[in-house]
Amino acid sequence: MIRLNDIIEDVNKYLHLSEKDVEMIKKAYVYSAKVHSGQKRSSGEPYLSHPLEVSGILAQMKLDVSSIITGLLHDTVEDTLATSEEIESMFGKEIAVLVEGVTKIGQLPYTSKIERQAEGFRKLILATAKDIRVVLIKLADRLHNMRTLEHLREDKQKRIASETFDIYAPLSHRLGINWVTNELEDLSFKFLNPDEYKQLSKQITKQRKAWEAHVKEAKVILIEKLSDFDLTPEITGRFKHIYGIYRKMQEQNLEFENVYDVMAFRLITNSQKECYETLGAVHASWKPVPGRFKDYIALPKGNGYQSLHTTVIGPFNERMEIQIRTRAMHEIAESGVASHWEYKEGKLDKGSTYEIYATLRQLLEWKDIQDPTEYMDAIKGELIANVVYIFTPNGDLKELPTGATPIDFAYSIHTEVGNRCTRANVNGKLVPLNHQLKTGDTVEIVTSKDQNPNRDWLKFVVTSGAKTKIRNWLRAEERKQSEIVGKSICERKFKQNGLDFQAMLKKGNLKKALSELKIKDVKDLYLAVGFGKISANDLLKKAVPSDTLDSKGDRERIDKIIKTITSSSDGGVLVRGYDDVMIRFANCCSPLPGEDIVGYITRGKGITIHRNDCQRLLEVDIDRRIDVEWDSKFKGPRPARILVTCTDKPGILSSITNTFSSSEVNISKAEIHSTDVEDAIGTFDVVVSDLSQLEDVMKSIKKVKGVKSVERMQEIEAL
């Protein structure tokens, strides 16, 4: 466990602490020790070890005294009897606000994991918008929790590691804190793919000595070559982190032995001019690899990162990655937002052109999205790491995720430009709307007042902004149509029974019926009927005594319709608020017992059950969703589809199918085909009892020699 004196010593190196500062840090330590007294972590260590380690990480980030103190106090309000008022009286308002901002969402009554995650992150972003130190302290908190994750249950390890990989590591990347990003990715990889992590770690350990010798030799040659050009940059060699190597292997379909550029050299110069001179010297000495040069000095990344990147065929006839930057650029590359800190003010350096707040503004844009699944989808979209740089016809620069299309570009300009986009010209040539843009493209959007968003656009757009705005338009149109349909159904149903629906509305004859159905006004009634949440028969029964209906035949016909709509289905799902309802499972996500699920009211088809994170649900109005849960007694079989990528060699298919058999999983259909890179891809339709059985068989298949990846597939169908 790190000691308080170690933290004070580290902070003093970059801040030159006053006696008052030291006393306040010690006071926070004593207070934290007092309120956390007797508490233990899952590891068995005293709880105080956690706030100490968090403060130590903040010292590595070189943050201010208030941040260091908050690190020591960050869990006091949530996990002890301490109050915000007490923190403020002892340590001041600034620290009380920081502690409150970092405090987790707490034990609030949310109905699902995704809702809790969404609200927790929404709270974090709102607090961060007021003071950016909040997110840095939260990252330090998450980093230490990840370092000690092995002490939790496996299901918790997976959940926390998945959230870290999807949100916190990309967030750290966008804030430019490189070393934190790398460690979060490696730790997430360790718990999400333990077998691959162990195997790769062993291979790296075995190879490390040879790599270190190689780096040493290459560094000497680099120094000699650059000295011929009178250039003397500081040269350091580094290895890619474990997940970085794994990602390269997956993206380029490589075996470990074939990953040649695991080493990179950083050349630190005295000026921007020297950066370009050094680049010229490197290219004059070794052949550059085409397409591997990137100038992030002229076009900085959104997180402020600046550097020249190039890959050359090095002195040992293998690829060598080289990064060239100034000392100031290097500070930003490693520390990101923390390197721009203006101490004691909680703000960024006003003299800097660093636009780190742009990232937070983008995240803040989605704060009003009500649906938690859509909110998290939007946040993840904003945190996509790889980007392309696109120019408008006027020469303005837009940063978009890799894979962005003209539709994404149009929505980045304005919602109406996106909604009315009818065609696009890229570099003066007409292209399809699903054309993927490349860095340097100049894009011109042509609009038409007759054009509207198309549901098919959702199949290829990649930005959160485009997805959200298209879905908003589609949902608004759906509401309009549902309102029209609902009105028509009500009028027709009442007319069939000899009643004038509109006249009864005007006279107020339906007020009591609407109140009993918990419908606040006529518009809500039309929507509820149009969406299928209630039927016009429900309203008719509430509004009109049964003995006044036209005939017994009409009553019997209505009862028959109601019985048909609410007929029971032994589907293993309980629908809250309904005793008997027809259900079906969506093929687009094939939910399994053990997964969070949600119901979607489908007019005329009862309720369709989707996984909580199903992307299809994001396209429909949240008012058509309904809470559902698995029946604990349900043991019925459920279908799933698995995609296996493996080496194309004799006997491997037999090994995979034997794995299914030994796991007692039946294969209902299998399709195998070879690729042009000596691989085989197999699609297996299987029948499992629940999520746990599926995960177990996938884990077993991963262990088969020659299997490269195993993933669960989703079919796509209309709602």
Side-chain angles (χ1 to χ4, degrees):
M1 182 170 73
I2 193 172
R3 299 178 308 162
L4 181 66
N5 286 343
D6 296 330
I7 296 171
I8 292 172
E9 187 178 324
D10 287 343
V11 177
N12 204 39
K13 288 175 184 175
Y14 63 86
L15 268 189
H16 306 298
L17 296 170
S18 67
E19 287 185 17
K20 183 180 177 182
D21 291 333
V22 173
E23 286 305 310
M24 283 295 284
I25 293 173
K26 288 181 177 179
K27 181 180 177 182
Y29 168 77
V30 171
Y31 181 81
S32 184
K34 176 185 173 184
V35 296
H36 286 300
S37 177
Q39 294 181 344
K40 300 279 187 182
R41 303 200 82 218
S42 298
S43 62
E45 292 180 293
Y47 195 89
L48 184 62
S49 64
H50 174 62
L52 273 170
E53 293 289 350
V54 169
S55 289
I57 293 169
L58 294 170
Q60 283 182 267
M61 292 184 186
K62 299 182 180 178
L63 294 192
D64 62 343
V65 173
S66 294
S67 300
I68 303 300
I69 292 172
T70 302
L72 291 167
L73 302 174
H74 75 277
D75 276 340
T76 54
V77 173
E78 181 187 9
D79 294 334
T80 76
L81 297 176
T83 64
S84 296
E85 292 75 19
E86 191 174 22
I87 297 293
E88 183 173 345
S89 67
M90 293 183 69
F91 301 99
K93 186 171 182 60
E94 178 187 17
I95 289 169
V97 169
L98 287 173
V99 171
E100 177 63 27
V102 179
T103 297
K104 290 178 287 188
I105 198 66
Q107 301 301 313
L108 298 181
Y110 295 115
T111 58
S112 69
K113 294 175 185 174
I114 189 70
E115 187 175 2
R116 182 181 299 280
Q117 182 188 58
E119 290 310 306
F121 201 72
R122 198 191 307 267
K123 180 179 179 183
L124 173 64
I125 294 302
L126 288 170
T128 299
K130 297 176 184 176
D131 194 318
I132 200 169
R133 289 174 292 184
V134 170
V135 77
L136 300 177
I137 298 164
K138 185 64 179 178
L139 283 172
D141 177 46
R142 177 55 60 113
L143 179 54
H144 184 248
N145 283 333
M146 287 298 296
R147 287 175 177 175
T148 56
L149 199 59
E150 70 270 13
H151 300 291
L152 299 182
R153 293 196 321 261
E154 186 178 351
D155 60 325
K156 283 192 172 184
Q157 290 176 359
K158 296 277 187 188
R159 176 178 59 79
I160 294 170
S162 179
E163 182 183 67
T164 300
F165 185 79
D166 289 341
I167 299 172
Y168 287 96
L171 179 59
S172 175
H173 173 81
R174 287 301 294 267
L175 296 176
I177 313 171
N178 188 53
W179 66 274
V180 172
T181 305
N182 291 348
E183 190 172 350
L184 288 177
E185 286 182 342
D186 283 352
L187 290 168
S188 299
F189 177 44
K190 176 181 177 180
F191 292 101
L192 292 175
N193 301 87
D195 294 335
E196 289 93 331
Y197 179 87
K198 287 176 187 174
Q199 183 182 359
L200 194 53
S201 294
K202 285 181 183 177
Q203 291 173 311
I204 291 172
T205 301
K206 187 177 178 181
Q207 193 69 22
R208 183 169 289 275
K209 282 187 179 179
W211 285 350
E212 287 173 349
H214 184 96
V215 166
K216 203 170 182 179
E217 290 180 62
K219 183 177 175 181
V220 170
I221 296 170
L222 263 172
I223 292 170
E224 289 175 356
K225 287 285 185 182
L226 293 175
S227 65
D228 291 342
F229 294 86
D230 295 325
L231 294 167
T232 57
E234 178 188 327
I235 301 175
T236 58
R238 68 171 184 89
F239 303 121
K240 291 186 186 297
H241 61 300
I242 294 178
Y243 179 72
I245 295 173
Y246 177 77
R247 180 170 53 207
K248 183 174 283 290
M249 290 168 61
Q250 294 296 306
E251 290 173 351
Q252 299 182 18
N253 196 25
L254 299 171
E255 295 293 338
F256 176 76
E257 295 76 15
N258 298 324
V259 182
Y260 295 117
D261 53 347
V262 294
M263 293 164 287
F265 291 91
R266 288 182 182 143
L267 279 54
I268 313 297
T269 71
N270 296 315
S271 67
Q272 185 171 306
K273 177 174 173 286
E274 278 189 21
C275 287
Y276 288 101
E277 289 173 348
T278 303
L279 175 70
V282 168
H283 282 181
S285 302
W286 297 287
K287 288 183 180 179
V289 176
R292 296 284 294 172
F293 169 65
K294 293 177 182 176
D295 187 345
Y296 292 119
I297 293 179
L299 293 173
K301 289 186 179 182
N303 60 16
Y305 177 90
Q306 287 185 291
S307 189
L308 298 175
H309 286 198
T310 188
T311 301
V312 298
I313 305 300
F316 305 105
N317 203 33
E318 55 190 36
R319 291 189 175 198
M320 183 167 68
E321 183 182 325
I322 293 177
Q323 300 170 356
I324 306 167
R325 58 182 75 143
T326 66
R327 174 65 55 190
M329 293 174 190
H330 182 63
E331 283 292 315
I332 294 171
E334 289 302 297
S335 303
V337 60
S339 66
H340 286 269
W341 202 260
E342 193 170 69
Y343 297 104
K344 307 283 188 183
E345 291 192 16
K347 298 176 183 177
L348 294 173
D349 182 353
K350 296 170 186 174
S352 171
T353 57
Y354 191 41
E355 291 292 333
I356 193 62
Y357 271 115
T359 290
L360 299 175
R361 279 196 297 270
Q362 288 171 333
L363 296 179
L364 200 59
E365 279 183 15
W366 312 122
K367 69 181 187 299
D368 296 326
I369 296 177
Q370 296 302 310
D371 176 33
T373 302
E374 184 179 3
Y375 175 74
M376 294 312 297
D377 185 65
I379 292 299
K380 290 174 187 178
E382 287 297 344
L383 296 175
I384 291 173
N386 296 323
V387 297
V388 291
Y389 299 95
I390 311 300
F391 292 95
T392 69
N394 294 329
D396 296 328
L397 189 66
K398 291 282 183 181
E399 182 183 284
L400 296 171
T402 300
T405 65
I407 296 292
D408 293 291
F409 178 82
Y411 276 109
S412 75
I413 296 171
H414 193 277
T415 302
E416 278 305 296
V417 175
N419 287 346
R420 303 302 178 193
C421 176
T422 185
R423 64 179 189 272
N425 294 317
V426 175
N427 304 325
K429 294 182 179 179
L430 184 66
V431 299
L433 293 180
N434 64 352
H435 172 82
Q436 291 193 2
L437 303 174
K438 298 181 180 64
T439 291
D441 284 346
T442 297
V443 181
E444 179 188 10
I445 299 297
V446 180
T447 60
S448 168
K449 64 180 181 180
D450 298 322
Q451 176 70 18
N452 289 314
N454 188 317
R455 190 177 296 275
D456 287 340
W457 289 359
L458 289 169
K459 296 176 182 177
F460 56 78
V461 296
V462 297
T463 57
S464 300
K467 288 178 184 177
T468 300
K469 289 165 185 175
I470 293 167
R471 288 171 185 149
N472 285 345
W473 191 91
L474 292 172
R475 285 195 289 250
E477 285 300 299
E478 183 184 26
R479 288 180 77 86
K480 286 180 188 176
Q481 293 303 315
S482 293
E483 192 174 342
I484 293 169
V485 168
K487 180 180 179 183
S488 174
I489 289 173
C490 289
E491 290 175 344
R492 186 169 66 249
K493 182 57 64 179
F494 274 64
K495 187 176 181 181
Q496 287 173 356
N497 289 275
L499 302 169
D500 187 331
F501 176 75
Q502 292 297 335
M504 293 179 72
L505 268 180
K506 288 179 182 177
K507 292 178 182 178
N509 295 341
L510 300 180
K511 275 187 177 180
K512 185 179 177 184
L514 293 177
S515 176
E516 289 178 4
L517 290 169
K518 297 180 180 178
I519 302 292
K520 65 180 181 180
D521 55 32
V522 177
K523 184 176 181 179
D524 274 4
L525 170 66
Y526 292 155
L527 285 172
V529 174
F531 283 156
K533 295 193 83 168
I534 66 169
S535 71
N537 287 319
D538 295 332
L539 179 64
L540 189 62
K541 281 187 167 185
K542 297 279 186 189
V544 184
S546 58
D547 57 2
T548 64
L549 294 177
D550 282 353
S551 68
K552 182 181 177 184
D554 281 332
R555 287 198 302 275
E556 289 177 348
R557 178 168 49 80
I558 292 170
D559 289 340
K560 185 177 179 181
I561 292 170
I562 293 171
K563 187 175 180 181
T564 300
I565 290 175
T566 61
S567 62
S568 177
S569 173
D570 186 19
V573 172
L574 305 175
V575 183
R576 297 172 195 168
Y578 291 77
D579 295 329
D580 214 8
V581 67
M582 181 171 64
I583 66 165
R584 67 189 183 104
F585 291 97
N587 290 333
C588 54
C589 56
S590 299
L592 298 174
E595 293 184 297
D596 290 336
I597 52 175
V598 66
Y600 166 73
I601 298 173
T602 311
R603 198 179 304 115
K605 297 180 182 178
I607 294 174
T608 305
I609 307 302
H610 291 261
R611 273 169 39 188
N612 222 347
D613 59 353
C614 179
Q615 294 293 300
R616 284 289 185 182
L617 281 175
L618 301 180
E619 300 171 24
V620 299
D621 198 291
I622 196 170
D623 288 340
R624 292 181 74 170
R625 299 184 203 177
I626 190 167
D627 289 336
V628 297
E629 61 187 27
W630 290 103
D631 186 344
S632 59
K633 300 174 185 176
F634 178 63
K635 299 295 180 184
R638 291 287 305 137
R641 178 170 288 179
I642 298 174
L643 180 70
V644 180
T645 303
C646 58
T647 304
D648 191 359
K649 65 178 184 179
I652 194 164
L653 177 59
S654 175
S655 298
I656 292 172
T657 53
N658 286 339
T659 303
F660 281 114
S661 298
S662 61
S663 300
E664 298 183 351
V665 172
N666 291 326
I667 302 173
S668 56
K669 183 182 177 183
E671 293 180 357
I672 312 289
H673 68 272
S674 299
T675 69
D676 54 2
V677 289
E678 299 183 348
D679 280 349
I681 294 178
T683 304
F684 299 89
D685 288 357
V686 298
V687 178
V688 295
S689 60
D690 55 25
L691 179 63
S692 177
Q693 188 180 25
L694 178 67
E695 289 178 339
D696 287 345
V697 74
M698 289 174 67
K699 192 181 293 184
S700 297
I701 294 170
K702 281 184 181 180
K703 294 178 181 177
V704 174
K705 190 173 182 180
V707 170
K708 295 185 174 181
S709 66
V710 183
E711 58 185 286
R712 181 179 174 188
M713 292 182 66
Q714 291 188 20
E715 295 179 4
I716 297 296
E717 66 162 19
L719 282 162

